[in-house]
Amino acid sequence: MDYLVEGFTKAIDLLINGDASTWTAIWATLKVSTCSMALSLGAGLPCGFLIGYFDFKGKRHLRTLVDTLLSLPTVFIGLIVYAFITHRGPLGEFEFLFTLTGIAIGQTILAFPIITALTATTVESIDKELKLTLVSLGAGKRNILITCLWEVRYGILAAAVTAYGRVMTEVGISMMVGGNIKYHTRTITTAIALETNKGQFADGIALGLVLILIAFIVNLSLSFLRKQ
Amino acid sequence: MDYLVEGFTKAIDLLINGDASTWTAIWATLKVSTCSMALSLGAGLPCGFLIGYFDFKGKRHLRTLVDTLLSLPTVFIGLIVYAFITHRGPLGEFEFLFTLTGIAIGQTILAFPIITALTATTVESIDKELKLTLVSLGAGKRNILITCLWEVRYGILAAAVTAYGRVMTEVGISMMVGGNIKYHTRTITTAIALETNKGQFADGIALGLVLILIAFIVNLSLSFLRKQ
Amino acid sequence: QAENKSLMMATTTSTDGTGLLDYLIPYFTKETGIELKWTATGTGKALALGQNCDVDVLLVHAPPAEAKYIKNGYGKDRRQIMYNDFVIIGPKEDPAAIKGKKISDALAEIRNKKAVFVSRGDDSGTHKKEKLLWKSTDKPMPDKESWYLQVGKGMQATINVCENKKGYTMTDRGSYIKYQSQKDNNAPLTILVEGDGILLNQYSVITLDPDNCPNAKYELALKFSSWMASKNAQNLIKDFRLLKQKLFIPNAE
Amino acid sequence: MQTNIIYHLKNIRHYYEKTAVLDIDELDITKGSITGLIGSNGSGKTTLLKLLAFALRPTHGDIFYKGKKEVCFSPSVRSKVTLLTQTPYLLKRTVFENIVYGLNIRKDKTNIEERVKTALLNVGLDYQRFALRKWHQLSGGEAQRVAMAARLILKPEVLLLDEPVANVDSQSAKLIRKATLNARDQWGATLVVASHDLQWLYSISDRQLSVSNGNIFATGFENIIQGPFEKTDKSIVIKKLKDGQVITLKKPKKVSNTAIIKKNHLFFNLEEPINKSLDNQLSGQVVSMLLGEKSGHVLININIQDLPFTIRLVPDQVSRLELYPGKKVILKFSSADVEWT
Amino acid sequence: MQTNIIYHLKNIRHYYEKTAVLDIDELDITKGSITGLIGSNGSGKTTLLKLLAFALRPTHGDIFYKGKKEVCFSPSVRSKVTLLTQTPYLLKRTVFENIVYGLNIRKDKTNIEERVKTALLNVGLDYQRFALRKWHQLSGGEAQRVAMAARLILKPEVLLLDEPVANVDSQSAKLIRKATLNARDQWGATLVVASHDLQWLYSISDRQLSVSNGNIFATGFENIIQGPFEKTDKSIVIKKLKDGQVITLKKPKKVSNTAIIKKNHLFFNLEEPINKSLDNQLSGQVVSMLLGEKSGHVLININIQDLPFTIRLVPDQVSRLELYPGKKVILKFSSADVEWT
Ligand SMILES: Nc1ncnc2c1ncn2[C@@H]1O[C@H](COP(=O)(O)OP(=O)(O)OP(=O)(O)O)[C@@H](O)[C@H]1O
Ligand SMILES: Nc1ncnc2c1ncn2[C@@H]1O[C@H](COP(=O)(O)OP(=O)(O)OP(=O)(O)O)[C@@H](O)[C@H]1O
Ligand SMILES: [Mg+2]
Ligand SMILES: [Mg+2]
């Protein structure tokens, strides 16, 4: 119990005079999550839109597939990515293994289905009248995409926030692909896992609080996009 | 690379003549995830509805808070729960530690914000006319809750599916609270983590595929709730 | 009744990962009728679990930490059960040319050559031992050096990183054998330094101090620790083979 | 007497954000009456109906229902007052489920199917064709009528209808009219109806209220002249029409932008002059003549330029005056007979 | 000649799922014309307009636009044809942004503000009051008019209006009428307008099409008698009215449920008889008389029971016949003059 309190004080201590390792971990986390979010949004929004906006046969099966991808275990993704980027693997020469890039790739795979599934659902809820209106106002395919996503912006925002939470907190990929190398590929979450394994629960809590603080700041800035 | 193929064959093998430990792991996973989903839906849907349906001051801040909770790292949750249910902890006497119940508690905490946040967003998108119509038809508060959720059922479904994916694939809580005890609290994901740690990548992949298969079956049955 | 006939143990990944427990415990249960469950974690967490009375008995390998643990009154009657030994492994090419050297010289070489060295860096028994070895080179513990990678992972994962980084690392023999077997015996990493006395890796059973943890099943724990020390169990340990190779050498008094 | 006043509104002021949209000092609605709301877009009809439905809380003022002050969700109004919204919303279900929704809420399960049949019939929809349609498989007017049926089936004490016949064809409008009157006669429902189809509204309502930017005059079909007006001297204001004709009006006491001229103060050139200075003489044209189906009166709409005037006559008056659409007429009234709001 | 036909529909059949809702063998719409669509709810007006807007693909048949067969999204129609939907949808933005949306798509940036001002003015909304309102801060009619403005500002070749004046007050209806005519006169727009407000529609359209369950007759304001009919002998069918009056009609060649009687085949009892057996003599009542503002004709609506008939006369005919709302009249026509669809 008491280590919760201890962890709290430690968290403050970390932030005020945090050691290099903490800062590098924070930095790594930010870099990786930002990158993977950018990628997964770039890919997921259009896919989600297409699935949600148009009616085509096999649509429901596609949805089922995407929903299933929501249940990809991070370690599993880690293993897959590892298989490709290990020195023996087909992409070995790029030397993505034990790099933040590698982690970002994995996390993109993790976030993509979330963005896609939630975007599709939100877009599906769009009023038939809107589609009609856009077409009748002479909107082209691109206009329609952008306008529709903007009309359901709060849904999209929710999708992004959810995916962000998933990416920020995942351990499996960072461990497997990043290697949790101190000062290099150690992220906050892998650090937490490590400290916990060491039995340094207080430090685990402290790092956890730091992570949550970061998430809070991000969400706070996003919340200004919300309906006033 | 080759362990991917090997893992695939192993997965089939596991399912056909799987050993006891696999089956117990599958069983444990199903029990725990079902239980935590039930709890988090029971709590999350009403909360999400209240946040989404009504306008009150501080609403945006509440949303930000919930969104932040989406970024709770599983290990962190694990530590918190552990702090309470350890023998030294306030809930020590219930002996939840190293039990599936303990895991379920943690996973509920994990899924709750997802359900709440996504439900709130979906409910917020509800047409003002609907609210007016319901009131004017003499709907009571309970009717309104149920009808509104039903009106946006696809959004709710998406929320549930997303949370389910999160719960199915989390490792941190199961490890910390469950202790990954063979035949007892070992879930598929902790098993994957273990195998991977042992360097048995093929087995990791195999178990991962089993997990995904389960998720697929669940989503397939859900997909019949979908719009035809 | 069966309820209090069951025992909860916290142990280290190596005992579980090598499959020793899966091999050994059924015998224990058969002979004593006591069901034993175990959770395998880092030594540090294992000790912490003991300290919080969440388990009844510990099987760990970090003598200095154990001593401190007992001194703090968390644990009681530590009993040596067995040991295996650590080895330094590295690429066949052996860039730092440490093959056959004394351990301290070998590490010194690695430091001079700035050859990649991969460390568990997780405060596990193995990691504690490694730090001990670096101390024996009477140079400051490497930390930020670019060639010194602290991965904070289990042994297999660490070896894995080591292979990919073409570096050196210290591992317990068991883990190495397991790794070797996966590469069906043409592994890029081979044993370069071994057999040094300081490399021994002592496993002990520790029962919790009933004064600290009244709820812990002290009696059963004692039963377990004495069974592990018994002739019978020791023989079983002696006969335990992982891929036809001895792993643990029993040494209970 | 008091007992059969079902609604009593007192000092109602309603604001959206800062803008005032409703300002009613006092308004009574008697039980079993049919009240028509007339008013230009944005005058406040919908807002008023929402208030009456207790679906919206007025910024200031109280609404008394059967003498008791009521608010949202209070059980004594909840299942008694029902509102047909301007753009009807259908639940994402079949037509049948939409219509029975209200009944389910009321736990009313007695021969549902029969009642749905009649409810649909009352709005001119065929049970066989429509009952099992999905909400999105309806045309605009059909949806409107389904929503209407969903209200009628509840047999509510108070039925508030917001544009019930917009998007509805004339045949169906007749049916809805019948259903509306029926509601009053059968179970003594009180109705308040907002509509832009004056003829239709006139044909069902026994009293008309005109709503003009938030104000209400308990006098239907009066002739409202909206500003701006030009001040000339202290005593009068004038409004110039495009063709140069000028309307002169007695200056209002308090500032006002809305002038009312009562029907009985309007006269035709064709009528015999009476001892009164009719200083306004405006030439215009009869554009339409409508038979008020309930009263048997004829509504005569006259355009002075694009300023609409309405006069109410009995048929033989009309024939005596030999009025017909397209006929040029002169309207006279005294600048003193103006009333300001 | 061929050149100024802008729409040519050929063998159009449209089905929703299995139910046929539109069945047009051939239909031409000439450039710069204003076509009015009349028809009961569910007759297919909206569907037709969606087809003309290329927002919906007909199940069978082709639509030719300026002689070329066109489909959805083809650039030659995309920015030229625009549709005002029956329930206008406003983007979740300010009124201003809603109105300029179409312009932005067209990358048209020249003095936007001015044009928005005029567009709003054309539908009777004040720029200052409304431009910065959010989409949900509008009344029903205001929203409708904003949507209208968003279409007008595009100055499209073809303007398709689905119930543009439902929910709109009479003043604004006049404005929209003006704007509509203006669109034709100013930039030669072609318009197709569906509305239930016959008087209004009549006042703007130079040609009316009645749509009756999926069929179209290029003859507006004819009198349509819907079945069921009773067969008596081989040669005729009859329809009994509530009050016992009977309509007799020549039997249709192919089965049909919709009979049409042309205006010029209808006669009043008051008119001098002509050498023709007018075997139908139905007594009814004049309910309304409307001045067709464009043609100068007067539309006279007569109810035989609740069967509506319309006759078109010139004003002095009306005065000669001394018609007025409420007057009892007898309608005569020959059973041979019926046409079946
Ligand atoms: N949510 C809102 N926020 C701000 N102003 C609003 C809002 N809703 C309506 N208004 C304004 O309030 C006034 C009254 O609106 P209301 O809907 O009552 O008019 P109405 O009489 O129903 O008009 P219509 O005939 O078009 O339905 C209008 O000027 C409108 O612009
Ligand atoms: N999505 C749909 N699925 C099935 N049937 C439909 C669908 N939409 C419309 N219909 C049917 O098609 C017919 C024509 O509809 P349409 O909207 O064109 O009628 P309308 O003439 O516009 O009627 P209104 O005057 O009420 O607008 C109606 O009978 C309607 O029930
Ligand atoms: Mg309104
Ligand atoms: Mg329509």
Side-chain angles (χ1 to χ4, degrees), chain B residues 82 85-88 95 97-98 175-176 178-182 184 186 194 196-201, chain C residues 8 16-17 22 35 37-39 45 49 51-55 154 156-157 160 178 182 212-213 215:
Chain B
Y82 173 80
I85 66 178
T86 172
H87 284 288
R88 290 287 170 76
E95 309 223 310
L97 191 62
F98 302 131
M175 272 288 184
M176 186 70 211
N180 186 28
I181 300 167
K182 199 172 181 183
H184 295 85
R186 179 164 299 170
L194 177 65
T196 317
N197 268 335
K198 285 203 252 163
Q200 313 276 33
F201 294 164
Chain C
M8 184 73 209
D16 185 38
D22 289 326
E35 178 194 24
K37 302 187 222 156
W38 68 87
T39 175
K45 185 176 166 191
L49 286 175
Q51 188 174 335
N52 294 337
C53 315
D54 296 319
V55 293
Q156 291 298 342
N160 214 343
K178 203 136 181 28
Q182 279 146 20
N212 183 43
C213 301
N215 69 298

Side-chain angles (χ1 to χ4, degrees), chain C residues 6 16 18-19 25 40 49 55 71 85 139 144 156 171 206 229:
Chain C
S6 88
D16 185 38
T18 52
I25 296 312
L49 286 175
V55 293
K71 197 159 111 311
D85 64 335
K139 279 252 187 63
K144 281 200 172 55
Q156 291 298 342
T171 170
I206 299 178

Side-chain angles (χ1 to χ4, degrees), chain D residues 129-130 133 136-142 167, chain E residues 16-17 19 21 39-48 86 163 196:
Chain D
R129 272 186 64 208
F130 289 97
R133 290 257 189 111
H136 61 271
Q137 299 178 319
L138 298 170
S139 80
E142 287 163 346
N167 295 314
Chain E
Y16 290 114
E17 281 96 58
T19 50
V21 296
S40 57
N41 293 133
S43 53
K45 302 182 296 297
T46 299
T47 309
L48 176 57
Q86 186 163 6
E163 310 277 356
H196 291 295

Side-chain angles (χ1 to χ4, degrees), chain A residues 86-206:
Chain A
T86 175
H87 287 285
R88 303 265 185 70
L91 309 177
E93 67 271 20
F94 296 110
E95 308 228 308
F96 285 150
L97 192 58
F98 307 132
T99 65
L100 295 181
T101 322
I103 304 181
I105 295 171
Q107 290 187 341
T108 307
I109 299 174
L110 177 67
F112 173 76
I114 301 178
I115 303 280
T116 309
L118 291 179
T119 305
T121 309
T122 324
V123 171
E124 237 171 17
S125 76
I126 283 179
D127 193 336
K128 290 213 323 293
E129 292 298 322
L130 170 59
K131 302 183 180 186
L132 201 55
T133 306
L134 293 181
V135 175
S136 72
L137 284 173
K141 296 208 166 54
R142 255 187 73 267
N143 305 115
I144 291 181
L145 169 73
I146 293 163
T147 312
C148 283
L149 290 184
W150 181 250
E151 283 292 290
V152 295
R153 50 191 172 280
Y154 302 118
I156 304 297
L157 189 63
V161 170
T162 312
Y164 186 71
R166 189 87 183 82
V167 162
M168 283 283 279
T169 60
E170 73 78 29
V171 187
I173 296 168
S174 311
M175 272 288 183
M176 187 71 211
V177 179
N180 185 29
I181 299 170
K182 199 174 179 184
Y183 301 121
H184 297 84
T185 60
R186 179 165 299 172
T187 64
I188 301 180
T189 46
T190 52
I192 297 174
L194 175 61
E195 293 305 329
T196 315
N197 234 347
K198 284 198 217 165
Q200 311 286 12
F201 296 159
D203 299 85
I205 293 286

Side-chain angles (χ1 to χ4, degrees), chain C residues 1 9 19 22 29 35 51 87 104 116 123 127 135 160 185 207 215 230 240:
Chain C
Q1 63 278 38
M9 174 171 74
D22 289 326
T29 311
E35 178 194 24
Q51 188 174 335
V87 294
S104 47
V116 174
D123 254 11
H127 185 219
K135 285 218 188 57
N160 214 343
N185 305 326
T207 55
N215 69 298
S230 69
F240 176 64

Side-chain angles (χ1 to χ4, degrees), chain B residues 33 45 69 92 119 124 195 217:
Chain B
S33 56
L45 287 182
L69 293 183
T119 305
E124 238 171 15
E195 295 304 333
I217 293 163

